[in-house]
Amino acid sequence: ITAFSKIQQKNLEGYVGFANLPNQVYRKSVKRGFEFTLMVVGESGLGKSTLINSLFLTDLYSSEYPGPSHRIKKTVQVEQSKVLVKEGGVQLLLTIVDTPGFGDAVDNSNCWQPVIDHIDSKFEDYLNSESRVNRRQMPDNRVHCCLYFIAPSGHGLKPLDIEFMKRLHEKVNIIPLIAKADTMTPEECQQFKKQIMREIQEHKIKIYEFPETDDEEENKLVKKIKDRLPLAVVGSNTIIEVNGKRVRGRQYPWGVAEVENGDHCDFTILRNMLIRTHMQDLKDVTNNVHYENYRSRKLAAVTYNGADNNKSKGQLTKSPLAQMEEERREHMAKMKKMEMEMEQVFEMKVKEKLQKLKDSEAELQRRHEQMKKNLEAQHKELEEKRRQFEEEKVSWEAQQHLLEQQKLDASRYTLVHTIALTLALLLLLD
Amino acid sequence: SLGSWWLWRFLLGFEKGEGVRAVPLSGHVGFDSMPDQLVNKSVNHGFCFNILCVGETGLGKSTLMDTLFNTKFEGEPTQHNQPGVQLKSNTYELQESNVRLKLTIVNTVGFGDQINKEDSYKPIVEFIDTHFEAYLQEELKIKRTLHSYHDSRIHACLYFIAPTGHSLKSLDLVTMKKLDSKVNIIPIIAKSDAISKSELAKFKIKITSELVSNGVQIYQFPTDDETVAEINSTMNGHLPFAVVGSTEEVKIGNKMVKARQYPWGTVQVENENHCDFVKLREMLIRVNMEDLREQTHTRHYELYRRCKLEEMGFKDTDPDSKPFSLQETYEAKRNEFMGELQKKEEEMRQMFVQRVKEKEAELKEAEKELHEKFDRLKKLHQDEKKKLEDKKKALDDEQNIFKQKKTAAELLQSQAQQAGGSTTLKRDKERKK
């Protein structure tokens, strides 16, 4: 039901007005204001604070608010400064996160850990506020970009540089910078850059990449910038007059290294890229890639705590609620099956028992029938015997009776005869 | 808005590292391009807007859409014999200058055609909820792609009121009341060329007062942004918009204009004296499209989400002190849920055990009865047998007696015969004498 039907292209037959949508978006974004969090990491003395001041043309770091290198710490700290700047009607809440103490100790093992912890904690805050039932305005304090300052040794990356970037490249957009570029000649700088990029590729470090666009011109510019990575920068808090112009620069006996001169360093490229063209993209990549990675890892750990790991692979595309729904359905199906099976077994057993009972009954019945038959047979036999007996008795009795009768007759006859004789005798005697 | 939030934070103080301080710039930094950067990104990504048209069949919903967007969208007009309310959705890709818009138009088919309209609002609410749900599911996924998600939630609901000239129908009030917390409602009087100017004014007042007295929250054009506050505020006073739609063109003067031709005159769609079409277009598309989208996301969707999560038993632990831990909640929820399932399983098992016991008892009882029956039969049989035995014995006895009698009689007879033989002899002798 939520799948979209075929999308049809339609041509407008006149002006409608939704071409005004970008203006609406513009207007609303100005009303809302913008926020950006920039992290600066590097050993002390690399000109981080100066660069920030130069980038934002303000005294973010001053004697009143000293930069990280002036706040000597025993261990690496992570500190935030929030400033509100306004320009052309656009408000920007800028958060600078710095890491005083980074790389300054003798033993710098794990000096990246507080940085990782900070980034993760900001992700966690965002995740928590995004996951609340009652969600309010969610301020975005996630780190959108990390400027990593490489010391201008001219020889390549230090182990600490590599270690840090490897651990952070999947958590934040890393833009590596060669600090204090005015200590190297253009050729030295070029070599240094090539070396660094080679090492970055070798260690498979993913630094921030400029997105491809559909615009040919823009892509050409992007390619030019890519060829100059990492950017070599110079920063300055002082304004110097050069040829009648007031510029930020560093005054040397042999000349002035101008911050915003493209021949002198890549500062302008950095500023244009970081602030004027790609600030939004840095935020988008943080939101769509780094944060989502954090979130999916965090949620997968929660939801599949103890569950079968094989199952979890294919189910990351489901929301935990849908996951629970599915588990419920699965369980219902399992129960139904179990119920059916139990029912079947039950029925079968009952049938068996009933059958046994039936058989038993049949057997008993049969035996009973048998016995009855037997008895009946005996009865009949007896009947027969009795009949015969009766017959015999009757016939014998009849016989006897006849004999009796004969005897009686005979005796009567005899008697009569005797009487007759007697009479005769008597008569004779007379 | 966030702007004022920051102002508040700024006013809070200048503490190092805690408060926000405003610092002046000594030159052009360039972050004033941020709105442009954002706009570029949006334009590249393309926009999307979803409109729901609710209204009875024949109120000119499709025609109005065609007129608003200057294009012929749909096919056949619907009949009145629909058995229920259905929502039909179509998505179109439009482009104007460099702006690409994915426009989805959802129509309620068959709304108001049934005799019993009690449930007419239900499919509409369901539709809106389904799309909120889809977004919520996407948002809650572990691996999600929100930035490329095609938002299907309804951003604006044009509610078409029939031009009776009297008042809202009860179906209208019921439906709008059910929808006002789920979508931005913009009520419009459809086919308003059927109403005279004076009637229209009264009609609008009546409708507005009915909406207010029934507590229906319609969409208010926002007045917090000074750039558009004035026009929005004025337009709010013209609601509901009385519109006329037409894709037919008529020549007025030397121009072809969209109009409806009657014998008594021509109603020009884009003439603000004739109807509020231009106002609707202005508000809906040119000024507040983005706000409609935003309100849908931050207000209506959030409400849906909150209710849904609460329904499933989620709640924020301690809103201010302890940070809400998603982890714990999911875990707790899941354990509770698993526990329930276990319990159900156990219950089922127990029920079976019970049944088995009962059945066993039943069968045992039956077996007992059977044996009793046969025991009785056996006893009967025994009795019969005994009787038979007795009879047999009796017969035997009789036979014995008879035998004895017979033997005795025969003996007598043989004796008698011997004697009788002499007697007979005697007789014979006598006779011979």
Side-chain angles (χ1 to χ4, degrees), chain A residues 1 4 7-20 22 24 26-29 31-34 55-58 60 65 80 82-87 90 93 128 130-135 271 275-277 279-280 284 288 292 295-296 299 302 305 316-322 324 327-328 331 335 338 342-343 346 353 357 361 364-365 371 375 378 382 386 389 392-393 396-397 400 403, chain B residues 2-3 6 14 16-17 20-39 41 68-72 89 91-94 96 130 137 139-144 147 150 152 224-225 227-228 285-291 294 302 305-306 314 316 319 324 326-327 331 334 337 341 345 348 352 355-356 359 363 367 370 374 381 384 388 391-392 398-399 402 405-406 409 413:
Chain A
I1 194 173
F4 281 93
I7 298 181
Q8 310 166 50
Q9 297 272 1
K10 287 280 180 187
N11 288 321
L12 303 180
E13 292 158 22
Y15 186 65
V16 175
F18 61 80
N20 213 29
Q24 297 178 33
Y26 189 103
R27 172 172 42 92
K28 275 187 174 288
S29 72
K31 181 112 177 73
R32 212 173 18 238
F34 296 87
L55 268 175
F56 292 97
L57 294 174
T58 186
L60 218 139
Y65 299 95
Q80 284 187 169
K82 282 189 195 281
V83 290
L84 190 62
V85 286
K86 200 162 171 182
E87 185 175 71
V90 176
L93 178 62
N128 284 341
E130 189 194 22
S131 310
R132 289 174 66 89
V133 173
N134 278 300
R135 299 199 285 202
R271 180 211 276 148
I275 300 175
R276 296 181 186 181
T277 56
M279 194 177 245
Q280 184 59 43
D284 291 339
N288 300 339
E292 287 299 319
R295 182 181 172 277
S296 54
L299 290 184
V302 167
N305 223 355
L316 288 184
T317 49
K318 275 197 214 75
S319 77
L321 287 186
M324 283 209 286
E327 283 179 348
R328 187 197 300 270
H331 195 264
M335 284 231 299
M338 202 168 75
M342 282 209 218
E343 192 77 44
F346 181 73
K353 259 246 151 103
L357 209 64
E361 186 176 9
L364 286 171
Q365 187 74 6
M371 288 201 290
L375 216 59
Q378 286 187 22
L382 188 67
R386 177 163 282 274
F389 173 64
E392 194 188 324
K393 194 159 130 189
W396 185 78
E397 283 193 342
Q400 292 297 102
L403 273 172
Chain B
L2 266 184
W6 286 339
F14 296 106
K16 257 189 244 179
V20 181
R21 42 188 179 110
V23 289
L25 304 173
S26 62
H28 182 236
V29 178
F31 60 82
D32 55 349
S33 68
M34 274 300 270
D36 288 306
Q37 292 183 40
L38 188 61
V39 163
K41 172 185 120 178
L68 263 176
F69 288 96
N70 261 319
T71 188
K72 187 83 180 77
S89 142
T91 308
Y92 308 94
E93 240 172 41
L94 309 172
E96 187 165 60
T130 305
Q137 289 299 332
E139 200 184 26
L140 290 177
K141 276 189 197 168
I142 292 181
K143 266 194 168 11
R144 60 188 188 179
H147 60 275
H150 183 175
S152 61
D224 53 350
D225 187 341
T227 12
V228 290
I285 302 177
R286 296 184 186 175
V287 179
N288 298 303
M289 200 179 233
E290 181 61 22
D291 185 71
E294 208 175 272
E302 280 301 310
R305 177 183 176 277
R306 187 161 66 239
F314 287 92
D316 295 331
F324 170 73
L326 178 72
Q327 213 164 336
E331 202 122 305
R334 193 149 179 282
F337 170 70
L341 296 182
E345 206 175 308
M348 191 178 87
F352 254 102
R355 267 180 79 187
V356 166
K359 199 69 184 189
L363 290 174
E367 206 176 337
L370 184 73
F374 278 98
H381 176 85
E384 288 288 308
L388 186 70
K391 274 198 186 149
K392 258 195 183 158
E398 267 187 51
Q399 280 185 325
F402 178 68
K405 192 165 148 192
K406 198 168 159 193
Q413 267 175 17

Side-chain angles (χ1 to χ4, degrees), chain B residues 204-299:
Chain B
K204 283 194 181 186
I205 293 172
K206 190 73 185 4
I207 292 174
T208 313
S209 75
E210 280 189 324
L211 289 175
V212 166
S213 60
N214 280 281
V216 175
Q217 304 271 358
I218 59 171
Y219 175 73
Q220 294 295 307
F221 306 119
T223 49
D224 53 350
D225 187 341
E226 322 81 55
T227 12
V228 290
E230 204 180 312
I231 187 166
N232 276 346
S233 160
T234 315
M235 292 295 183
N236 277 328
H238 284 281
L239 285 168
F241 291 136
V243 295
V244 172
S246 173
T247 45
E248 312 266 301
E249 293 201 322
V250 172
K251 193 160 188 168
I252 302 281
N254 56 353
K255 276 198 347 190
M256 292 299 281
V257 295
K258 291 196 274 270
R260 286 173 61 78
Q261 211 160 31
Y262 290 101
W264 48 88
T266 308
V267 180
Q268 295 158 42
V269 169
E270 281 167 300
N271 185 330
E272 291 201 57
N273 286 325
H274 291 194
C275 72
D276 297 330
F277 174 83
V278 170
K279 295 193 176 69
L280 174 66
R281 184 177 59 193
E282 195 71 18
M283 288 292 99
L284 177 67
I285 302 177
R286 296 184 186 175
V287 179
N288 298 303
M289 200 179 233
E290 181 61 22
D291 185 71
L292 284 159
R293 241 189 24 80
E294 208 175 272
Q295 290 291 320
T296 304
H297 180 65
T298 57
R299 193 144 56 93

Side-chain angles (χ1 to χ4, degrees), chain A residues 128 132, chain B residues 316-325 328-329:
Chain A
N128 284 341
R132 289 174 66 89
Chain B
D316 295 331
T317 46
D318 208 319
D320 292 306
S321 49
K322 193 170 149 221
F324 170 73
S325 173
E328 282 169 22
T329 304

Side-chain angles (χ1 to χ4, degrees), chain A residues 65-108:
Chain A
Y65 299 95
S69 304
H70 294 269
R71 315 197 300 266
I72 301 167
K73 307 281 176 176
K74 284 233 173 77
T75 54
V76 178
Q77 303 292 309
V78 177
E79 289 170 359
Q80 284 187 169
S81 329
K82 282 189 195 281
V83 290
L84 190 62
V85 286
K86 200 162 171 182
E87 185 175 71
V90 176
Q91 229 168 224
L92 174 68
L93 178 62
L94 182 65
T95 306
I96 306 288
V97 181
D98 50 350
T99 54
F102 181 86
D104 291 337
V106 175
D107 180 3
N108 288 309

Side-chain angles (χ1 to χ4, degrees), chain A residues 169-216:
Chain A
H169 69 160
E170 290 187 325
K171 287 192 173 290
V172 70
N173 297 316
I174 298 183
I175 297 179
L177 302 172
I178 298 174
K180 299 202 161 172
D182 56 340
T183 58
M184 291 187 287
T185 65
E187 294 78 26
E188 284 169 347
C189 197
Q190 193 71 346
Q191 283 293 87
F192 191 32
K193 284 184 181 184
K194 277 211 177 76
Q195 177 65 17
I196 291 173
M197 287 315 280
R198 221 177 307 147
E199 289 183 39
I200 282 176
Q201 267 180 19
E202 210 178 281
H203 291 272
K204 295 200 181 37
I205 293 170
K206 290 182 260 194
I207 58 174
Y208 173 70
E209 261 189 38
F210 298 88
E212 291 274 306
T213 55
D214 298 322
D215 190 71
E216 268 305 307

